[in-house]
Amino acid sequence: MGVSHRIFAIARRAPRRSFGALGPHGLRAGFSSRPAHWDEDPDCLLATQKPGQVDLTHWIHSVLGKPLQRSDAEQARQRFWLTREQRCQGHNTMPDDSWWTLLQSIVARRAPVKATAAFLLYCSGITLAFENLRNFSTTGQPVVVDEVTHVAPEPQTREREQRRVIGVNITQVQYVMASHDVMQTCTGFIATALFMTLSFRMNRAASRWWHGREMCAQLLSNARNFKHVTSVSVTDKALAVELSMLGYAFVRAAEFHMRLEPDERYTEAFRPLLPPATLKELLAAPHRPYFLAQRINKRIADTYDAGATKNVRLVVAMQNQINNLVQTIEGIECIRSTPEPWSYQKHNVLLMKLWLSILPVALVPTLHFATPLLGGSIGYVVYKLDDVAAEICNPFGVDESDISLCVMIDRFQLELLAALLAEVKYQPCHTAVMPELCADDMPEECSEQP
């Protein structure tokens, strides 16, 4: 016999405390079985000094049956995400690439538009100055030049100074025209380095986005597995329901934590589930998903002490699922809180500004007055690529390109609601004692007595 088998054999032979005669499904007269010290614990879900008996079905509805209250902007964003999911799932559905949609995508992110507008003004200034001086050098027509700072007392002196300034500018124009091939070579070299760094950054940002999506799927998968293991392991139906809904609370808290939601969201989502004292501790915790993981561990230990689990192997299986949840949230935190390397990001910005600053000078001898149009288009492409890479580096926000985490968790909430109601229906446990739903704190839908 191996070491692990001997440990499990010793655990099976270890005496457990008995808490009275149990009915079918591990219940005592329709109520959840509990040890004596639970009656003295004010934070315990199944005991209180003033017990309130609430229908277990209504309790499930109070926790999972109500959708969260969201603002109009959040609802619009959810509809946008759902529409994109439907288009992705449809085999014969073409993506919406109309001009109106493309214009909306341009206006949605204003940073590239503002940078492009400033670059367009810069290109226009370079083009007007160059073309004005070139026209004067070829035709001899007068041009507008800046006057010198000092006022010459004689008109001849002023005219001579103006011709000197014009001559210097014309010399610069002639130099640019003569070295046009060298300018194009330099801009081509810098452009190659710039777009290589931009492509690397885009690939890395897309990898972070996809890895974040995989972590979200793993988070929901672990929560579903925890619910299945709990249903098999725990003989007390009220405790099994509570542990399953605590797994949902962990997933919902992970969403709130990733998006830096206010305390009101936690209170709205968890008030029917957690006692008031535990809810206050949750709001005061520095990392709220980890606090809920500790809460689930405590409830699993209480369940084992009460003798409401089938064997110790299933307790270990439940604990493994909690460890998987914690490991997943740590991976999500790694993606969210790790920025790009500082030198890589600054080097990319430096290359972008350097190339765009000399691009109009290289284009204007050939394109002339079309330089602002083509230069502005190229500038928008560069600024947009940089903005897209910065946007998808953190996929857990509320932008159009972010992961629809709230939609996936809402769907998981409905799935868990249907599963728990089916279990209660076929394996009834009619009542549970819930301190946080007593007296004034009890929701209206849970106020019915069995």
Side-chain angles (χ1 to χ4, degrees), residues 83 108 160 167 180 195 208 253 299-300 305 332 359 361 418 422 441:
T83 302
R160 187 165 53 252
H180 182 231
F195 283 98
R208 285 169 62 105
R299 301 302 293 151
I300 292 176
D305 292 340
I332 294 177
L359 179 64
V361 181
D441 292 336

Side-chain angles (χ1 to χ4, degrees), residues 3-173:
V3 177
S4 60
H5 293 81
R6 289 198 298 270
I7 293 175
F8 284 121
I10 295 173
R12 284 196 300 267
R13 293 195 299 268
R16 294 186 183 181
R17 289 171 291 181
S18 176
F19 304 106
L22 301 179
H25 310 296
L27 304 175
R28 184 194 299 113
F31 291 91
S32 300
S33 60
R34 58 181 186 268
H37 70 277
W38 284 11
D39 296 330
E40 301 174 359
D41 184 5
D43 292 340
C44 182
L45 178 66
L46 302 179
T48 182
Q49 295 178 358
K50 296 179 180 180
Q53 298 178 0
V54 181
D55 193 306
L56 189 58
T57 302
H58 291 168
W59 179 39
I60 297 173
H61 275 291
S62 67
V63 177
L64 303 174
K66 283 186 176 181
L68 296 179
Q69 299 295 327
R70 301 187 184 275
S71 62
D72 295 338
E74 291 175 331
Q75 293 178 7
R77 191 59 50 79
Q78 283 189 337
R79 289 193 295 269
F80 173 80
W81 283 330
L82 288 173
T83 302
R84 294 194 65 214
E85 286 186 3
Q86 292 173 359
R87 291 184 179 275
C88 181
Q89 295 172 359
H91 298 286
N92 298 324
T93 304
M94 296 296 294
D96 187 8
D97 292 335
S98 61
W99 286 105
W100 175 248
T101 305
L102 296 178
L103 181 61
Q104 287 180 335
S105 66
I106 293 175
V107 179
R109 302 283 294 186
R110 297 183 180 180
V113 177
K114 293 180 180 179
T116 304
F119 180 68
L120 184 61
L121 292 177
Y122 171 73
C123 291
S124 301
I126 294 292
T127 302
L128 289 177
F130 185 89
E131 291 297 321
N132 200 11
L133 294 173
R134 189 179 66 86
N135 185 52
F136 178 79
S137 64
T138 55
T139 63
Q141 297 180 358
V143 294
V144 179
V145 296
D146 295 335
E147 294 188 1
V148 294
T149 55
H150 67 278
V151 179
E154 298 180 1
Q156 296 179 355
T157 306
R158 183 184 303 112
E159 183 179 357
R160 187 165 53 252
E161 186 69 22
Q162 290 177 352
R163 288 183 179 275
R164 186 184 66 81
V165 174
I166 293 173
V168 172
N169 291 333
I170 291 176
T171 303
Q172 294 175 356
V173 171

Side-chain angles (χ1 to χ4, degrees), residues 215 218 250 290 322-332:
M215 298 302 292
Q218 186 176 353
F250 182 92
Y290 289 163
I322 299 302
N323 294 338
N324 292 336
L325 286 172
V326 173
Q327 185 177 2
T328 304
I329 197 66
E330 187 64 30
I332 294 177

